[in-house]
């Protein structure tokens, strides 16, 4: 079997994406019934993280343990990736020790280099450019609460960032309609956006949040200041002030709209406390689904079948 890295959602075909989502739903149901299958018995996962994390780290850790495997966590101060050791050398060492690697880092090139030099699958656990594991879990959440993802309208209100980029790729792949409302100057990466348009994706970018959410089945938001952008915080707070997901904005969407956020949330900034606590919010389902989606992804990457 060819090595299966997941550096972006492009690494999965539409059929494979469906396969992973279906397996995630099955694993979730089995877990609810108190049944866990040791599909990755004896396998070891290295978690190499250069940025903080709650959900990603916890769900990979719990997930691998539930599948019968174990994990090795390597934080930023231990490895000092790119500073003490090149990503290539790090990958060549780790792949002698573990069966699969999840990397959370800054530049996408680092994830790509680790995948190129490592002989075991590498999963992108968030980079500056993409967050495939998050959007995989979000698709599972939408599937559960809307019964389908294809044909829905998803409005992303916020930064054209890593999470938005993964949504763009998903929109092309499945497909569904995806509109991003952002302030001028915070549009998604042009190359990614243009490639999705060229691939026939039904996507758009606007600077009008109200227009974006009109007729939306889901409203998504994320922090205005991503990890690594802390120095830009002041300017970003000002630029994004009119892009808050609040009661007035939600009222402009479909009546049964769901509100999504990858978390962590900054209440009072990109989303109000009222909206995130409302019955429309599915943020904690999204967080739980990180577990099921990443278990399925690891099983797929390792060709463990289910
Ligand atoms: N949503 C997400 O990736 O959360 P963490 O940064 O806590 O892992
Ligand atoms: N865009 C955010 C996502 C956090 C899960 C960040 O990169 O910090």
């Amino acid at each position: 079997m060819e090595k299966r890295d997941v550096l972006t959602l492009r690494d999965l075909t539409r059929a494979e994406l469906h396969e992973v989502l279906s397996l995630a739903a099955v694993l979730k149901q089995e877990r609810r019934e108190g049944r866990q299958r040791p599909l990755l018995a004896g396998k070891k996962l290295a978690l190499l993280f250069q940025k903080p994390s709650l959900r990603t780290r916890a769900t990979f850790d719990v997930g691998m343990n539930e599948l019968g495997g174990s994990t090795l966590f390597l934080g930023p101060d231990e490895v000092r990736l790119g500073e003490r050791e090149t990503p290539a050398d790090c990958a060549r060492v780790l792949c002698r020790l573990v069966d699969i690697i999840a990397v959370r880092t800054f530049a996408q090139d680092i994830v790509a280099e680790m995948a190129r030099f490592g002989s075991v699958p590498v999963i992108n656990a968030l980079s500056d450019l993409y967050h495939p594991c998050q959007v995989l879990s979000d698709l599972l959440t939408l599937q559960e609460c809307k019964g389908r993802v294809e044909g829905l309208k998803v409005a992303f209100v916020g930064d054209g960032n890593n999470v938005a980029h993964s949504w763009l790729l998903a929109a092309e792949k499945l497909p569904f309609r995806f509109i991003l409302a952002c302030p001028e100057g915070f549009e998604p990466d042009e190359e990614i956006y243009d490639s999705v348009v060229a691939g026939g994706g039904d996507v758009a970018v606007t600077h009008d949040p109200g227009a974006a959410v009109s007729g939306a089945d889901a409203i998504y938001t994320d922090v205005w200041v991503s990890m690594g952008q802390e120095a830009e915080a002041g300017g970003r707070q000002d630029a994004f002030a009119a892009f808050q997901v609040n009661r007035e904005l939600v009222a402009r969407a479909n009546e049964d709209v769901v509100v999504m956020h990858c978390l962590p949330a900054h209440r009072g900034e990109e989303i109000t406390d009222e909206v995130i606590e409302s019955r429309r919010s599915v943020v904690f389902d999204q967080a739980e689904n990180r577990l099921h989606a990443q278990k399925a992804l690891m099983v797929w990457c390792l060709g463990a079948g289910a």
Side-chain angles (χ1 to χ4, degrees):
M1 187 184 96
E2 210 177 299
K3 183 161 85 85
R4 291 176 169 175
D5 301 306
V6 180
L7 311 186
T8 87
L9 288 178
R10 281 200 201 292
D11 290 321
L12 297 156
T13 63
R14 179 181 303 176
E16 288 166 344
L17 194 53
H18 280 297
E19 185 188 328
V20 172
L21 290 172
S22 305
L23 176 57
V26 169
L27 295 177
K28 182 169 183 174
Q29 184 57 32
E30 289 177 354
R31 187 178 193 262
R32 289 219 162 137
E33 291 165 4
R35 293 188 286 132
Q36 309 264 18
R37 283 181 288 157
L39 295 169
L40 299 182
K43 300 285 185 198
K44 295 180 190 69
L45 163 71
L47 291 160
L48 183 62
F49 278 38
Q50 291 190 287
K51 291 177 178 173
S53 172
L54 167 62
R55 279 144 292 273
T56 310
R57 178 184 176 176
T59 51
F60 267 120
D61 196 12
V62 171
M64 191 42 134
N65 278 288
E66 288 185 356
L67 288 166
S70 58
T71 57
L72 167 69
F73 181 78
L74 298 163
D77 297 336
E78 286 145 295
V79 179
R80 305 218 313 269
L81 194 62
E83 192 188 321
R84 183 171 181 270
E85 186 118 40
T86 64
D89 283 356
C90 183
R92 284 183 288 185
V93 171
L94 280 179
C95 71
R96 303 275 182 118
L97 310 174
V98 301
D99 304 280
I100 182 164
I101 302 170
V103 192
R104 168 167 286 206
T105 189
F106 295 88
Q108 181 72 13
D109 286 352
I110 296 177
V111 196
E113 191 175 322
M114 292 202 61
R116 199 162 57 247
F117 285 88
S119 57
V120 303
V122 171
I123 296 176
N124 180 356
L126 182 147
S127 65
D128 289 343
L129 213 53
Y130 294 108
H131 198 359
C133 297
Q134 179 65 52
V135 173
L136 198 59
S137 318
D138 298 337
L139 296 173
L140 178 63
T141 310
L142 271 186
Q143 178 79 42
E144 287 170 351
C145 54
K146 296 288 177 191
R148 69 196 161 98
V149 180
E150 281 90 344
L152 295 181
K153 177 180 173 181
V154 177
F156 188 111
V157 179
D159 194 14
N161 64 12
N162 44 8
V163 177
H165 292 150
S166 288
W167 272 107
L168 281 165
L169 299 192
E172 178 190 342
K173 192 140 284 188
L174 280 173
F176 54 89
R177 184 153 173 65
F178 179 76
I179 308 226
L180 171 75
C182 63
E184 272 180 57
F186 297 91
E187 291 82 6
D189 178 271
E190 219 172 282
E191 222 175 284
I192 297 172
Y193 183 78
D194 289 349
S195 76
V196 167
V197 172
D202 185 3
V203 298
V205 173
T206 172
H207 302 304
D208 179 351
V213 304
S214 162
D217 301 291
I219 299 176
Y220 201 102
T221 191
D222 183 12
V223 290
W224 294 339
V225 183
S226 284
M227 291 179 276
Q229 297 174 334
E230 290 78 8
E232 302 168 28
R236 284 178 166 265
Q237 311 283 3
D238 295 342
F240 283 93
F243 290 78
Q244 185 185 63
V245 175
N246 53 33
R247 188 209 302 208
E248 293 71 36
L249 192 69
V250 172
R252 298 179 69 166
N254 284 351
E255 215 174 301
D256 60 351
V257 69
V258 290
V259 175
M260 307 179 82
H261 193 311
C262 53
L263 301 179
H266 293 160
R267 294 157 192 247
E269 292 185 18
E270 76 275 3
I271 193 162
T272 59
D273 188 58
E274 179 187 36
V275 167
I276 203 166
E277 294 297 340
S278 73
R279 62 192 174 90
R280 294 273 145 245
S281 166
V282 294
V283 301
F284 296 108
D285 295 318
Q286 291 173 256
E288 179 193 325
N289 282 339
R290 298 292 306 274
L291 174 68
H292 314 299
Q294 287 156 208
K295 282 168 79 174
L297 191 63
M298 290 190 288
V299 168
W300 179 79
C301 283
L302 290 170

